[in-house]
Amino acid sequence: EDPQRKLVLLKYLDGNYTNYMQGRTRFHKSDFSLEILNTSREDRQLHEYIVSKGPEEKVWQIQLEVYEPVSDPSIQILGWALANGSCTITLNCTAERGDNVSYSWGSQDTHTSRLCSRNGSLLHLSYPLQNTSVACACMASNPVSSRVVAFNSSECSYEQEGLVADPLPSLTEHLVLMVVVPTTAVMILAGVFVATHLPMSGASQEQERPPLAEDSEVHTIYSQVQRVE
């Protein structure tokens, strides 16, 4: 009355395989990997890898995550104030695109590293007026990419109001796949899913790949497990 429905992606038996998702996936027999083409957020779901041998069946579950890389962030001055010979500025760092983005502040200058060291998008920066320049950098990152933008303050004045964005070169430019394996027993699964670098591409965490299966084993890969009312 309440069956489980699974969509079979691939079956492998006696050295031969059947790909039920031609145009969406590509199987590489040489390294026993399954490549997902044209990655989209719809690929973010639970998959199963099943090996059947005689009366025994082994099942691994793998959660596939898809992230849009972070775009170039920008820094906005929310406000500033002069008090007791110091300049106090509130900065906000944001990225327009990207999934699960986190922000952090820092500096390569040892003299200002403590002033600039913060977690989060907001930075409350306070420094003496005699400092001719304070350089801080904001990093916007997620599990598959990161981007950096620099902020340089030379004086405390109205001229600082507005956006400051000097993005450094990015690490990635496309949608990327990540594999989250819930147990240590599923090292084989890293060999099942391999990413691509297409307009919306994928990349999986590298783990040890399994050897080719024995001829007597049946290997089946399913998409997300769903219930049908």
Side-chain angles (χ1 to χ4, degrees):
E1 295 179 358
D2 187 20
Q4 287 186 340
R5 183 171 63 183
K6 301 178 182 179
L7 181 65
V8 179
L9 303 180
L10 181 84
K11 275 194 175 183
Y12 179 94
L13 174 64
D14 295 334
N16 298 315
Y17 66 91
T18 301
N19 186 352
Y20 293 96
M21 298 294 290
Q22 290 286 351
R24 284 286 291 118
T25 63
R26 183 184 296 127
F27 181 66
H28 300 276
K29 191 175 179 180
S30 59
D31 59 2
F32 209 70
S33 62
L34 182 66
E35 180 181 6
I36 298 180
L37 308 175
N38 298 321
T39 308
S40 66
R41 286 185 174 87
E42 285 69 27
D43 295 311
R44 179 188 294 161
Q45 55 184 315
L46 182 67
H47 292 73
E48 284 186 349
Y49 174 50
I50 299 177
V51 177
S52 302
K53 186 176 182 180
E56 184 181 59
E57 184 176 80
K58 297 180 180 180
V59 181
W60 289 268
Q61 289 189 334
I62 182 169
Q63 178 64 40
L64 204 61
E65 295 293 344
V66 180
Y67 298 91
E68 181 184 15
V70 178
S71 62
D72 288 331
S74 61
I75 299 175
Q76 182 179 15
I77 298 176
L78 300 182
W80 65 270
L82 288 170
N84 300 324
S86 295
C87 182
T88 301
I89 303 177
T90 300
L91 305 175
N92 186 34
C93 180
T94 56
E96 292 185 0
R97 299 186 307 278
D99 297 318
N100 296 354
V101 182
S102 61
Y103 300 91
S104 62
W105 291 84
S107 176
Q108 295 183 346
D109 188 347
T110 57
H111 296 89
T112 60
S113 59
R114 295 186 62 182
L115 293 174
C116 301
S117 181
R118 293 290 187 281
N119 288 323
S121 60
L122 291 177
L123 174 65
H124 302 287
L125 183 63
S126 181
Y127 58 92
L129 291 178
Q130 59 265 29
N131 285 18
T132 57
S133 178
V134 175
C136 296
C138 169
M139 175 181 289
S141 61
N142 66 5
V144 297
S145 64
S146 64
R147 302 257 185 165
V148 177
V149 61
F151 172 82
N152 292 279
S153 175
S154 59
E155 60 178 326
C156 197
S157 69
Y158 286 104
E159 294 178 359
Q160 294 182 5
E161 294 182 353
L163 299 177
V164 179
D166 299 317
L168 300 182
S170 63
L171 299 183
T172 57
E173 297 179 353
H174 308 288
L175 278 182
V176 181
L177 286 177
M178 284 195 67
V179 172
V180 180
V181 180
T183 64
T184 58
V186 291
M187 293 179 64
I188 298 178
L189 295 180
V192 178
F193 294 96
V194 166
T196 63
H197 237 298
L198 296 173
M200 303 182 78
S201 63
S204 64
Q205 295 175 339
E206 293 187 1
Q207 299 184 23
E208 182 180 354
R209 288 176 175 168
L212 286 176
E214 299 180 9
D215 290 343
S216 60
E217 296 180 347
V218 179
H219 300 255
T220 307
I221 302 173
Y222 296 97
S223 69
Q224 184 178 17
V225 178
Q226 298 180 351
R227 291 188 176 276
V228 180
E229 297 181 357

